[in-house]
């Protein structure tokens, strides 16, 4: 009986096969985690907000939930006590630039300044996590984040909470995003609201309270670093203009 022949890869193909996971780790954007554990990462952008963020922190504490906050330096600068409260409660704090710039359309020197200024404001509470405003990222801005030592975090789902919606609709959409390993994009503040009515975060807080009551027995809400520890990170090419 003939023995199956082994397939010999060329040196070039072997190198590409070795390089692919390295490239995904260095230049890929984290969008979810492969896991069988019932864990979800809720992430909140653009804060902190002097009114809504404390209410959100109270709600998270009530349900023993942890979250990740991608903060703007300009908003955090005057609310250091609130940033410290987040960190003390076990939440993760990531960089979202200083003033919510569109990374792909911004000159490199300004991108560096935005990342550095926000990092200084968030120290010593900031983590090595970064989310580009509007989800916009170019090859150049991805390299900049890499040079600053950041893990770039995208998302696997969102509920368009930048548009005014009733709490029941927001809750319905959020429940639909609940999958083990999901990273969900939310906002505790809107940096530049396109819909002025959506600046009110009250409906989102009501929706979150409903969702926690529905699924807290089935899901644990963890930080992005906690989610990574629960399984295998999925990183993908994420190069697109700012929305």
């Amino acid at each position: 009986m003939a023995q199956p022949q082994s397939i010999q890869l060329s040196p070039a193909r072997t190198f590409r096969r070795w390089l692919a996971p390295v490239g995904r780790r260095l230049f890929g954007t984290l969008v979810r985690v492969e896991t069988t554990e019932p864990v979800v990462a809720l992430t909140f952008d653009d804060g902190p907000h002097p009114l809504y963020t404390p209410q959100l922190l109270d709600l998270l504490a009530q349900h023993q939930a942890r979250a990740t906050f991608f903060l703007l330096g300009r908003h955090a600068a005057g609310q250091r006590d609130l940033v410290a409260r987040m960190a003390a409660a076990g939440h993760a704090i990531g960089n979202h630039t200083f003033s919510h710039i569109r990374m792909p359309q911004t000159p490199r020197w300004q991108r560096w300044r935005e990342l550095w200024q926000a990092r200084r404001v968030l120290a010593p509470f900031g983590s090595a996590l970064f989310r580009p405003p509007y989800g916009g990222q170019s090859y150049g801005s991805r390299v900049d984040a890499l040079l600053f030592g950041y893990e770039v975090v995208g998302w696997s789902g969102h509920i368009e909470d930048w548009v005014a919606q009733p709490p029941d609709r927001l809750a319905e959409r959020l429940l639909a995003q609940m999958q083990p390993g999901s990273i969900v994009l939310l906002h505790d503040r809107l940096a530049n609201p396109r819909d002025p009515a959506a600046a009110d975060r009250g409906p989102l807080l009501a929706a979150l309270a409903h969702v926690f009551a529905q699924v807290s027995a089935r899901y644990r809400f963890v930080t992005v670093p906690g989610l990574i520890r629960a399984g295998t990170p999925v990183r993908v090419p994420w190069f697109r203009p700012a929305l």
Side-chain angles (χ1 to χ4, degrees):
M1 182 176 180
Q3 296 294 320
Q5 294 182 346
S6 60
I7 300 175
Q8 298 294 325
L9 297 178
S10 68
R13 290 185 64 187
T14 300
F15 178 73
R16 286 197 298 271
R17 176 171 291 187
W18 171 84
L19 187 62
V22 176
R24 284 194 297 271
R25 177 63 185 89
L26 291 178
F27 297 103
T29 294
L30 178 70
V31 293
R32 61 185 177 88
V33 168
E34 287 283 358
T35 182
T36 57
E37 293 188 38
V39 288
V40 172
L42 300 180
T43 65
F44 296 89
D45 286 11
D46 294 3
H49 190 284
L51 173 63
Y52 299 119
T53 303
Q55 295 179 37
L56 174 58
L57 292 175
D58 290 342
L59 182 62
L60 293 169
Q62 179 183 344
H63 294 278
Q64 299 183 321
R66 301 290 182 271
T68 302
F69 291 86
F70 289 96
L71 302 182
L72 288 180
R74 75 181 189 200
H75 291 160
Q79 302 180 79
R80 297 278 297 167
D81 290 346
L82 192 50
V83 177
R85 179 184 168 187
M86 289 177 185
H91 304 296
I93 296 172
N95 191 327
H96 199 44
T97 73
F98 187 83
S99 60
H100 209 261
I101 62 169
R102 297 176 183 271
M103 294 288 281
Q105 295 95 325
T106 300
R108 165 158 282 173
W109 67 267
Q110 189 174 350
R111 293 198 300 255
W112 283 32
R113 185 178 67 181
E114 287 273 333
L115 290 169
W116 178 248
Q117 287 181 324
R119 171 178 277 184
R120 289 184 62 187
V121 169
L122 299 180
F125 308 111
S127 66
L129 302 176
F130 171 68
R131 173 172 285 161
Y134 307 104
Q137 184 168 246
S138 63
Y139 288 97
S141 69
R142 181 64 186 88
V143 169
D144 294 338
L146 177 64
L147 292 174
F148 273 77
Y150 283 120
E151 168 95 70
V152 178
V153 182
W155 55 83
S156 58
H158 62 74
I159 61 173
E160 292 186 309
D161 66 337
W162 52 85
V163 177
Q165 303 172 63
D168 58 345
R169 176 57 175 156
L170 290 167
E172 177 186 4
R173 299 184 73 173
L174 184 52
L175 286 168
Q177 301 296 335
M178 295 295 163
Q179 299 289 335
S182 296
I183 298 175
V184 184
L185 167 67
L186 300 164
H187 297 77
D188 57 329
R189 182 173 186 167
L190 295 178
N192 301 298
R194 303 171 187 176
D195 180 356
D200 180 3
R201 301 284 82 193
L204 176 63
L205 291 170
L208 284 166
H210 175 76
V211 168
F212 286 143
Q214 290 282 326
V215 303
S216 285
R218 291 187 286 127
Y219 282 100
R220 289 186 294 111
F221 296 94
V222 299
T223 64
V224 167
L227 192 71
I228 292 173
R229 291 192 293 269
T232 303
V234 177
R235 298 180 177 90
V236 302
W238 183 292
F239 302 107
R240 63 191 196 185
L243 299 178

